Coordinates of all heavy atoms in Angstrom, one line a residue:
G38 N -1.6 15.1 7.4 CA -1.1 13.9 8.0 C -1.6 13.7 9.3 O -2.1 14.6 10.0
L39 N -1.3 12.5 9.9 CA -1.7 12.2 11.2 C -0.7 12.6 12.3 O -1.0 12.6 13.5 CB -2.0 10.7 11.4 CG -3.2 10.1 10.5 CD1 -3.3 8.7 10.6 CD2 -4.5 10.8 11.0
N40 N 0.5 12.8 11.9 CA 1.6 13.2 12.8 C 1.8 12.2 13.9 O 1.9 12.6 15.1 CB 1.4 14.6 13.3 CG 1.5 15.6 12.2 OD1 2.3 15.4 11.2 ND2 0.7 16.6 12.2
L41 N 1.9 10.9 13.6 CA 2.0 9.9 14.7 C 3.4 9.7 15.1 O 4.3 9.9 14.3 CB 1.5 8.6 14.1 CG 0.0 8.5 13.6 CD1 -0.3 7.3 13.0 CD2 -0.9 8.7 14.8
K42 N 3.6 9.4 16.3 CA 5.0 9.2 16.8 C 5.5 7.9 16.3 O 6.8 7.7 16.1 CB 5.0 9.2 18.3 CG 4.7 10.6 19.0 CD 4.8 10.5 20.4 CE 4.4 11.9 21.1 NZ 4.5 11.9 22.5
T43 N 4.7 6.9 16.2 CA 5.1 5.5 15.7 C 4.2 5.2 14.5 O 3.0 5.3 14.6 CB 4.9 4.5 16.8 OG1 5.6 4.9 17.9 CG2 5.3 3.2 16.3
P44 N 4.9 4.8 13.3 CA 4.1 4.4 12.2 C 3.2 3.2 12.5 O 3.5 2.4 13.2 CB 5.1 4.1 11.1 CG 6.4 4.6 11.6 CD 6.3 4.7 13.1
I45 N 2.0 3.2 11.9 CA 1.0 2.1 12.0 C 1.4 1.0 11.0 O 1.5 1.2 9.8 CB -0.4 2.6 11.8 CG1 -0.8 3.7 12.8 CG2 -1.3 1.4 11.9 CD1 -2.1 4.4 12.6
P46 N 1.6 -0.2 11.5 CA 1.9 -1.3 10.5 C 0.7 -1.7 9.8 O -0.4 -1.7 10.2 CB 2.3 -2.5 11.5 CG 2.3 -2.1 12.8 CD 1.7 -0.6 12.9
V47 N 0.9 -2.0 8.5 CA -0.2 -2.5 7.6 C 0.3 -3.7 6.9 O 1.4 -3.9 6.5 CB -0.4 -1.4 6.5 CG1 -1.5 -1.9 5.5 CG2 -0.8 -0.1 7.1
A48 N -0.6 -4.8 6.9 CA -0.3 -6.1 6.4 C -0.8 -6.1 4.9 O -1.8 -5.5 4.6 CB -1.0 -7.1 7.1
V49 N 0.0 -6.8 4.1 CA -0.4 -7.0 2.7 C -0.8 -8.5 2.6 O 0.0 -9.4 2.8 CB 0.9 -6.8 1.7 CG1 0.5 -7.1 0.3 CG2 1.3 -5.4 1.8
L50 N -2.1 -8.7 2.4 CA -2.6 -10.1 2.2 C -3.0 -10.3 0.8 O -4.0 -9.7 0.3 CB -3.8 -10.3 3.1 CG -3.5 -10.2 4.6 CD1 -4.8 -10.4 5.5 CD2 -2.5 -11.3 5.0
P51 N -2.2 -11.0 0.0 CA -2.6 -11.2 -1.4 C -3.7 -12.1 -1.6 O -3.7 -13.2 -1.3 CB -1.3 -11.9 -1.9 CG -0.6 -12.5 -0.8 CD -1.0 -11.7 0.5
L52 N -4.8 -11.5 -2.1 CA -6.1 -12.3 -2.3 C -6.5 -12.4 -3.7 O -7.4 -13.2 -4.0 CB -7.2 -11.6 -1.5 CG -7.0 -11.5 0.0 CD1 -8.1 -10.7 0.7 CD2 -6.8 -12.9 0.7
G53 N -5.9 -11.7 -4.6 CA -6.3 -11.8 -6.0 C -5.1 -12.1 -6.9 O -4.2 -12.8 -6.5
T54 N -5.1 -11.5 -8.1 CA -4.0 -11.7 -9.0 C -3.1 -10.4 -9.0 O -3.5 -9.4 -8.4 CB -4.4 -12.0 -10.4 OG1 -5.2 -10.8 -10.8 CG2 -5.3 -13.2 -10.5
G55 N -1.9 -10.5 -9.5 CA -1.1 -9.3 -9.5 C -0.5 -9.0 -8.2 O -0.5 -7.8 -7.7
N56 N 0.0 -10.0 -7.4 CA 0.5 -9.8 -6.1 C 2.0 -9.7 -6.0 O 2.6 -10.3 -5.1 CB 0.0 -11.0 -5.2 CG -1.5 -11.0 -5.1 OD1 -2.1 -10.0 -4.9 ND2 -2.2 -12.1 -5.3
D57 N 2.5 -9.0 -6.9 CA 4.0 -8.9 -6.9 C 4.6 -8.2 -5.7 O 5.6 -8.7 -5.1 CB 4.5 -8.1 -8.2 CG 6.0 -8.3 -8.4 OD1 6.5 -9.5 -8.3 OD2 6.6 -7.2 -8.6
L58 N 4.0 -7.2 -5.2 CA 4.4 -6.6 -3.9 C 4.4 -7.6 -2.8 O 5.4 -7.7 -2.0 CB 3.6 -5.3 -3.5 CG 3.9 -4.7 -2.2 CD1 5.4 -4.2 -2.2 CD2 2.9 -3.6 -1.9
A59 N 3.4 -8.4 -2.7 CA 3.3 -9.5 -1.6 C 4.4 -10.5 -1.8 O 5.0 -10.9 -0.9 CB 2.0 -10.1 -1.7
R60 N 4.7 -10.8 -3.0 CA 5.8 -11.7 -3.3 C 7.2 -11.2 -2.8 O 8.0 -11.8 -2.2 CB 5.9 -12.2 -4.8 CG 4.8 -13.1 -5.2 CD 5.1 -13.5 -6.7 NE 3.9 -14.2 -7.2 CZ 3.0 -13.6 -7.9 NH1 3.0 -12.3 -8.2 NH2 1.9 -14.3 -8.3
V61 N 7.4 -9.9 -3.2 CA 8.7 -9.3 -2.8 C 8.8 -9.1 -1.3 O 9.9 -9.3 -0.8 CB 8.7 -7.8 -3.5 CG1 9.8 -7.0 -2.9 CG2 8.9 -8.0 -5.0
L62 N 7.7 -8.9 -0.6 CA 7.8 -8.8 0.8 C 7.7 -10.2 1.5 O 7.7 -10.3 2.8 CB 6.5 -8.0 1.3 CG 6.5 -6.5 0.9 CD1 5.3 -5.8 1.4 CD2 7.7 -5.8 1.4
G63 N 7.7 -11.3 0.7 CA 7.8 -12.6 1.3 C 6.4 -13.3 1.7 O 6.5 -14.3 2.4
W64 N 5.3 -12.8 1.2 CA 4.1 -13.3 1.6 C 3.6 -14.4 0.5 O 2.6 -15.0 0.8 CB 3.0 -12.2 1.7 CG 3.2 -11.5 2.9 CD1 3.8 -10.2 3.0 CD2 2.9 -11.8 4.3 NE1 3.8 -9.8 4.3 CE2 3.3 -10.8 5.1 CE3 2.3 -12.9 4.8 CZ2 3.1 -10.8 6.5 CZ3 2.1 -13.0 6.2 CH2 2.5 -11.9 7.0
G65 N 4.3 -14.6 -0.6 CA 3.9 -15.6 -1.6 C 2.9 -14.9 -2.5 O 2.5 -13.9 -2.5
P66 N 2.5 -15.9 -3.5 CA 1.6 -15.4 -4.5 C 0.2 -15.2 -4.2 O -0.6 -14.5 -4.9 CB 1.7 -16.6 -5.6 CG 2.0 -17.8 -4.7 CD 2.8 -17.3 -3.6
G67 N -0.3 -15.7 -3.1 CA -1.7 -15.4 -2.7 C -2.3 -16.5 -1.8 O -1.6 -17.5 -1.5
Y68 N -3.5 -16.3 -1.3 CA -4.2 -17.2 -0.5 C -5.5 -17.6 -1.1 O -6.0 -16.9 -2.0 CB -4.5 -16.5 1.0 CG -3.3 -16.1 1.6 CD1 -2.9 -14.8 1.7 CD2 -2.5 -17.1 2.3 CE1 -1.7 -14.4 2.5 CE2 -1.3 -16.7 3.0 CZ -1.0 -15.4 3.0 OH 0.2 -15.1 3.7
N69 N -6.1 -18.7 -0.7 CA -7.4 -19.0 -1.1 C -8.3 -19.5 0.0 O -7.8 -19.5 1.2 CB -7.3 -20.2 -2.2 CG -6.7 -21.4 -1.7 OD1 -7.1 -21.9 -0.6 ND2 -5.7 -21.9 -2.4
R70 N -9.5 -19.8 -0.2 CA -10.5 -20.2 0.9 C -10.1 -21.4 1.7 O -10.6 -21.6 2.8 CB -11.9 -20.2 0.4 CG -12.1 -21.4 -0.5 CD -13.6 -21.4 -1.0 NE -13.8 -20.3 -1.8 CZ -14.9 -20.0 -2.4 NH1 -15.9 -20.9 -2.3 NH2 -15.1 -18.9 -3.1
D71 N -9.2 -22.2 1.2 CA -8.8 -23.4 1.9 C -7.6 -23.2 2.9 O -7.3 -24.0 3.7 CB -8.4 -24.5 0.9 CG -9.5 -24.9 0.0 OD1 -10.6 -25.0 0.5 OD2 -9.2 -25.2 -1.2
D72 N -7.1 -22.0 2.9 CA -5.9 -21.6 3.8 C -6.5 -21.4 5.2 O -7.6 -21.0 5.4 CB -5.2 -20.4 3.3 CG -4.4 -20.7 2.0 OD1 -3.9 -21.8 1.8 OD2 -4.3 -19.8 1.2
N73 N -5.6 -21.7 6.2 CA -6.0 -21.5 7.6 C -5.8 -20.1 8.0 O -4.7 -19.6 8.2 CB -5.0 -22.4 8.4 CG -5.4 -22.5 9.9 OD1 -6.0 -21.6 10.4 ND2 -5.0 -23.6 10.5
I74 N -6.9 -19.4 8.2 CA -6.9 -18.0 8.4 C -6.3 -17.6 9.8 O -5.4 -16.7 9.8 CB -8.4 -17.4 8.5 CG1 -9.0 -17.5 7.1 CG2 -8.4 -15.9 8.8 CD1 -8.3 -16.9 6.0
P75 N -6.5 -18.4 10.9 CA -5.7 -18.1 12.1 C -4.2 -18.2 11.9 O -3.5 -17.4 12.4 CB -6.3 -19.1 13.1 CG -7.6 -19.4 12.6 CD -7.5 -19.4 11.1
E76 N -3.7 -19.2 11.1 CA -2.3 -19.3 10.8 C -1.8 -18.0 10.1 O -0.7 -17.6 10.4 CB -2.0 -20.5 10.1 CG -1.7 -21.7 10.8 CD -1.3 -22.9 9.9 OE1 -0.7 -22.7 8.8 OE2 -1.6 -24.0 10.3
I77 N -2.5 -17.6 9.1 CA -2.2 -16.4 8.4 C -2.1 -15.2 9.3 O -1.1 -14.4 9.3 CB -3.2 -16.1 7.3 CG1 -3.1 -17.3 6.2 CG2 -2.9 -14.8 6.6 CD1 -4.2 -17.2 5.2
L78 N -3.1 -15.0 10.2 CA -3.0 -13.9 11.1 C -1.9 -14.0 12.1 O -1.3 -12.9 12.5 CB -4.4 -13.8 11.9 CG -5.6 -13.5 10.9 CD1 -6.9 -13.5 11.8 CD2 -5.4 -12.2 10.3
V79 N -1.5 -15.2 12.6 CA -0.3 -15.3 13.4 C 0.9 -14.9 12.7 O 1.8 -14.2 13.2 CB -0.2 -16.7 13.9 CG1 1.2 -17.0 14.6 CG2 -1.3 -17.0 15.0
G80 N 1.0 -15.2 11.3 CA 2.1 -14.8 10.5 C 2.1 -13.3 10.4 O 3.3 -12.7 10.4
V81 N 1.0 -12.7 10.3 CA 0.9 -11.2 10.2 C 1.5 -10.6 11.5 O 2.3 -9.7 11.5 CB -0.5 -10.7 9.9 CG1 -0.6 -9.2 10.1 CG2 -0.9 -11.1 8.5
K82 N 1.0 -11.1 12.6 CA 1.4 -10.6 13.9 C 2.9 -10.7 14.1 O 3.5 -9.8 14.6 CB 0.7 -11.3 15.0 CG 0.9 -10.8 16.4 CD 0.2 -11.6 17.5 CE 0.8 -13.0 17.8 NZ 2.1 -13.1 18.4
D83 N 3.5 -11.8 13.7 CA 4.9 -12.1 13.9 C 5.8 -11.6 12.8 O 7.0 -11.9 12.8 CB 5.1 -13.6 14.1 CG 4.4 -14.1 15.4 OD1 4.2 -13.2 16.3 OD2 4.2 -15.3 15.5
A84 N 5.3 -11.0 11.8 CA 6.0 -10.6 10.6 C 7.1 -9.6 10.8 O 6.9 -8.7 11.7 CB 5.1 -10.2 9.5
H85 N 8.1 -9.6 10.1 CA 9.1 -8.5 10.0 C 8.6 -7.3 9.4 O 7.9 -7.3 8.4 CB 10.3 -9.0 9.3 CG 11.4 -8.0 9.1 ND1 12.2 -7.6 10.1 CD2 11.8 -7.3 8.0 CE1 13.0 -6.6 9.6 NE2 12.7 -6.5 8.3
R86 N 8.7 -6.2 10.0 CA 8.2 -4.9 9.4 C 9.1 -4.3 8.4 O 10.4 -4.3 8.6 CB 8.0 -3.8 10.5 CG 6.9 -4.2 11.5 CD 6.6 -3.2 12.5 NE 5.7 -3.7 13.5 CZ 5.3 -3.0 14.6 NH1 5.9 -1.9 14.8 NH2 4.4 -3.5 15.4
V87 N 8.6 -3.9 7.3 CA 9.4 -3.2 6.3 C 8.9 -1.8 6.0 O 7.7 -1.7 5.9 CB 9.4 -4.0 5.0 CG1 10.1 -3.4 3.8 CG2 9.9 -5.5 5.2
L88 N 9.7 -0.8 5.9 CA 9.3 0.5 5.7 C 9.2 0.8 4.2 O 10.0 0.5 3.5 CB 10.3 1.6 6.4 CG 10.4 1.5 7.9 CD1 11.4 2.5 8.4 CD2 9.1 1.7 8.6
L89 N 8.1 1.4 3.8 CA 7.9 1.8 2.4 C 7.7 3.3 2.4 O 7.1 3.9 3.2 CB 6.6 1.1 1.8 CG 6.5 -0.4 1.8 CD1 5.2 -0.9 1.3 CD2 7.6 -0.9 0.9
D90 N 8.4 3.9 1.4 CA 8.3 5.4 1.2 C 6.9 5.7 0.7 O 6.3 4.9 -0.1 CB 9.3 5.9 0.3 CG 10.7 5.8 0.8 OD1 10.8 5.8 2.0 OD2 11.6 5.7 0.0
R91 N 6.3 6.8 1.1 CA 5.0 7.3 0.7 C 5.1 8.8 0.6 O 5.6 9.4 1.5 CB 4.0 6.9 1.8 CG 2.6 7.2 1.4 CD 1.6 6.7 2.5 NE 0.4 7.3 2.2 CZ -0.7 6.7 2.3 NH1 -0.8 5.4 2.6 NH2 -1.9 7.4 2.1
W92 N 4.6 9.3 -0.5 CA 4.6 10.8 -0.6 C 3.3 11.2 -1.3 O 2.6 10.4 -1.9 CB 5.8 11.2 -1.4 CG 5.9 10.8 -2.8 CD1 5.5 11.5 -3.9 CD2 6.5 9.6 -3.3 NE1 5.8 10.8 -5.0 CE2 6.4 9.6 -4.7 CE3 7.0 8.5 -2.7 CZ2 6.8 8.6 -5.6 CZ3 7.5 7.4 -3.5 CH2 7.3 7.5 -4.9
E93 N 3.1 12.6 -1.2 CA 1.9 13.1 -1.8 C 2.2 14.2 -2.7 O 3.0 15.1 -2.5 CB 1.0 13.6 -0.6 CG -0.4 14.2 -1.1 CD -1.2 14.7 0.1 OE1 -0.7 14.6 1.3 OE2 -2.3 15.0 -0.1
I94 N 1.5 14.2 -3.9 CA 1.7 15.3 -4.8 C 0.4 16.1 -4.9 O -0.7 15.5 -5.1 CB 2.1 14.8 -6.2 CG1 3.4 14.1 -6.2 CG2 2.0 15.9 -7.3 CD1 3.8 13.5 -7.4
E95 N 0.5 17.4 -4.7 CA -0.7 18.3 -4.7 C -0.8 18.9 -6.1 O 0.2 19.5 -6.5 CB -0.7 19.3 -3.7 CG -2.0 20.1 -3.6 CD -2.0 21.1 -2.5 OE1 -1.6 20.7 -1.3 OE2 -2.5 22.2 -2.7
L96 N -1.9 18.8 -6.8 CA -2.1 19.4 -8.1 C -3.1 20.6 -8.0 O -4.1 20.4 -7.3 CB -2.7 18.3 -9.0 CG -2.0 17.0 -9.1 CD1 -2.8 16.0 -9.9 CD2 -0.7 17.2 -9.9
Q97 N -2.8 21.6 -8.6 CA -3.6 22.8 -8.6 C -3.9 23.2 -10.0 O -3.1 23.3 -10.9 CB -2.9 24.0 -7.9 CG -2.7 23.7 -6.4 CD -2.1 24.9 -5.7 OE1 -1.6 25.8 -6.3 NE2 -2.0 24.8 -4.4
N98 N -5.2 23.5 -10.3 CA -5.7 24.1 -11.5 C -5.6 25.6 -11.5 O -6.5 26.2 -10.8 CB -7.1 23.5 -11.8 CG -7.6 23.9 -13.2 OD1 -6.9 24.6 -13.9 ND2 -8.8 23.5 -13.5
R99 N -4.7 26.2 -12.2 CA -4.6 27.6 -12.2 C -5.0 28.2 -13.6 O -4.5 29.2 -14.0 CB -3.2 28.0 -11.9 CG -2.8 27.6 -10.6 CD -1.4 28.1 -10.2 NE -1.0 27.5 -9.0 CZ 0.0 28.0 -8.3 NH1 0.6 29.1 -8.7 NH2 0.3 27.6 -7.1
G100 N -5.9 27.5 -14.2 CA -6.4 28.0 -15.5 C -7.3 29.1 -15.6 O -7.6 29.7 -16.7
S101 N -7.9 29.6 -14.5 CA -8.8 30.7 -14.6 C -8.6 31.7 -13.4 O -7.7 31.3 -12.5 CB -10.2 30.2 -14.5 OG -10.5 29.6 -13.3
R102 N -9.2 32.7 -13.4 CA -9.1 33.7 -12.3 C -9.9 33.4 -11.1 O -9.9 34.0 -10.0 CB -9.4 35.1 -12.7 CG -8.4 35.6 -13.8 CD -8.7 37.0 -14.2 NE -7.7 37.4 -15.2 CZ -7.5 38.7 -15.5 NH1 -8.1 39.6 -14.9 NH2 -6.6 39.0 -16.4
K103 N -10.8 32.4 -11.2 CA -11.7 32.0 -10.2 C -10.9 31.2 -9.1 O -9.7 31.1 -9.2 CB -12.8 31.1 -10.7 CG -13.7 31.8 -11.6 CD -14.8 30.8 -12.1 CE -15.7 31.6 -13.1 NZ -16.8 30.7 -13.6
A104 N -11.6 30.8 -8.1 CA -10.9 30.0 -7.0 C -10.1 28.9 -7.5 O -10.5 28.2 -8.5 CB -11.9 29.6 -6.0
T105 N -8.9 28.7 -7.0 CA -8.0 27.6 -7.5 C -8.5 26.3 -6.9 O -8.9 26.1 -5.8 CB -6.6 27.8 -6.9 OG1 -6.1 29.1 -7.4 CG2 -5.7 26.7 -7.4
K106 N -8.7 25.3 -7.9 CA -9.1 23.9 -7.6 C -7.9 23.1 -7.3 O -7.0 23.1 -8.2 CB -10.1 23.5 -8.6 CG -10.8 22.2 -8.3 CD -11.7 21.8 -9.4 CE -12.6 20.6 -9.0 NZ -13.5 20.3 -10.0
S107 N -7.8 22.3 -6.3 CA -6.7 21.5 -6.1 C -7.1 20.0 -5.8 O -8.2 19.8 -5.3 CB -5.8 22.0 -5.0 OG -6.4 22.0 -3.8
S108 N -6.3 19.1 -6.0 CA -6.4 17.7 -5.6 C -5.1 17.1 -5.3 O -4.1 17.7 -5.7 CB -7.1 16.9 -6.7 OG -6.4 16.8 -7.9
S109 N -5.1 15.9 -4.7 CA -3.8 15.4 -4.4 C -3.8 13.9 -4.7 O -4.8 13.2 -4.8 CB -3.4 15.6 -2.9 OG -4.4 14.9 -2.1
I110 N -2.6 13.4 -5.0 CA -2.4 12.0 -5.3 C -1.4 11.4 -4.3 O -0.3 12.1 -4.1 CB -2.0 11.8 -6.8 CG1 -2.9 12.4 -7.7 CG2 -1.7 10.3 -7.0 CD1 -2.5 12.3 -9.2
I111 N -1.7 10.3 -3.7 CA -0.7 9.7 -2.8 C 0.0 8.5 -3.5 O -0.6 7.7 -4.1 CB -1.3 9.2 -1.5 CG1 -1.9 10.4 -0.8 CG2 -0.4 8.5 -0.6 CD1 -2.7 10.1 0.5
F112 N 1.3 8.5 -3.4 CA 2.1 7.4 -4.0 C 2.9 6.6 -3.0 O 3.2 7.1 -2.0 CB 3.2 8.0 -5.0 CG 2.6 8.6 -6.2 CD1 2.3 10.0 -6.2 CD2 2.5 8.0 -7.3 CE1 1.8 10.6 -7.3 CE2 2.0 8.5 -8.5 CZ 1.6 9.8 -8.5
N113 N 3.1 5.3 -3.3 CA 4.0 4.5 -2.5 C 5.2 4.2 -3.3 O 5.2 4.4 -4.5 CB 3.3 3.2 -2.1 CG 2.1 3.5 -1.1 OD1 2.3 4.0 -0.1 ND2 1.0 3.1 -1.6
N114 N 6.3 3.8 -2.6 CA 7.6 3.6 -3.4 C 7.7 2.4 -4.2 O 8.6 2.2 -4.9 CB 8.8 3.6 -2.3 CG 8.9 2.2 -1.7 OD1 8.0 1.5 -1.5 ND2 10.1 1.9 -1.2
Y115 N 6.7 1.6 -4.3 CA 6.7 0.3 -5.0 C 6.0 0.5 -6.4 O 4.9 1.0 -6.4 CB 6.1 -0.8 -4.2 CG 6.3 -2.2 -5.0 CD1 7.5 -2.8 -4.9 CD2 5.3 -2.6 -5.8 CE1 7.7 -4.0 -5.6 CE2 5.5 -3.8 -6.5 CZ 6.7 -4.5 -6.4 OH 6.9 -5.6 -7.1
F116 N 6.6 0.1 -7.5 CA 5.9 0.1 -8.7 C 6.2 -1.1 -9.5 O 7.3 -1.6 -9.5 CB 6.5 1.3 -9.5 CG 5.9 1.5 -10.9 CD1 4.7 2.1 -11.0 CD2 6.7 1.1 -12.0 CE1 4.1 2.2 -12.3 CE2 6.2 1.2 -13.3 CZ 4.9 1.8 -13.4
G117 N 5.2 -1.7 -10.1 CA 5.4 -2.8 -11.0 C 4.5 -2.7 -12.2 O 3.6 -2.0 -12.3
I118 N 5.0 -3.4 -13.2 CA 4.3 -3.3 -14.5 C 4.4 -4.6 -15.2 O 5.4 -5.3 -15.1 CB 4.8 -2.2 -15.4 CG1 4.0 -1.9 -16.6 CG2 6.3 -2.4 -15.8 CD1 4.3 -0.7 -17.4
G119 N 3.4 -5.1 -15.9 CA 3.4 -6.3 -16.6 C 2.0 -7.0 -16.7 O 1.1 -6.4 -16.3
V120 N 2.1 -8.1 -17.3 CA 0.8 -8.9 -17.4 C 0.6 -9.7 -16.1 O 1.5 -10.5 -15.8 CB 0.8 -9.7 -18.6 CG1 -0.5 -10.6 -18.8 CG2 1.0 -8.9 -19.9
D121 N -0.4 -9.5 -15.4 CA -0.6 -10.2 -14.1 C -1.4 -11.5 -14.2 O -1.2 -12.4 -13.4 CB -1.3 -9.3 -13.1 CG -0.4 -8.1 -12.7 OD1 0.8 -8.2 -12.9 OD2 -0.9 -7.1 -12.2
A122 N -2.4 -11.5 -15.1 CA -3.3 -12.7 -15.1 C -3.2 -13.4 -16.4 O -2.9 -12.9 -17.4 CB -4.7 -12.3 -14.8

């Protein structure tokens, strides 16, 4: 990890389909090319910050006597399922 004293804010800008996280966070269903980009960026700057949990799972392959191979997966606390489009 980065071991930062203050978490870095990240904006969710819904640009495609399947934007349920953006809807839950109050950003609406999405933007299109006719929207005013400077207005959107002011909204991002002035937005209320919401903390999301994030964790990492490390996977190790212990199937042989050779060097152990590992990989990791990073998860966020939000999960959605369904037909988006």
Side-chain angles (χ1 to χ4, degrees):
L39 296 175
N40 297 322
L41 301 172
K42 292 180 182 178
T43 305
I45 299 171
V47 176
V49 176
L50 295 176
L52 299 175
T54 61
N56 295 314
D57 193 47
L58 176 59
R60 285 186 192 96
V61 169
L62 294 176
W64 288 100
Y68 299 106
N69 61 50
R70 66 178 64 176
D71 297 327
D72 291 326
N73 186 336
I74 301 298
E76 267 184 34
I77 294 169
L78 295 176
V79 167
V81 168
K82 181 180 77 65
D83 296 337
H85 173 75
R86 293 183 186 175
V87 176
L88 298 177
L89 298 176
D90 291 333
R91 183 177 165 136
W92 66 95
E93 181 177 7
I94 296 177
E95 186 174 317
L96 306 169
Q97 294 183 351
N98 183 0
R99 298 183 183 202
S101 68
R102 294 182 181 201
K103 295 181 181 179
T105 303
K106 189 175 187 180
S107 67
S108 61
S109 64
I110 301 172
I111 297 175
F112 290 89
N113 293 302
N114 79 334
Y115 185 82
F116 178 78
I118 189 167
V120 178
D121 293 340

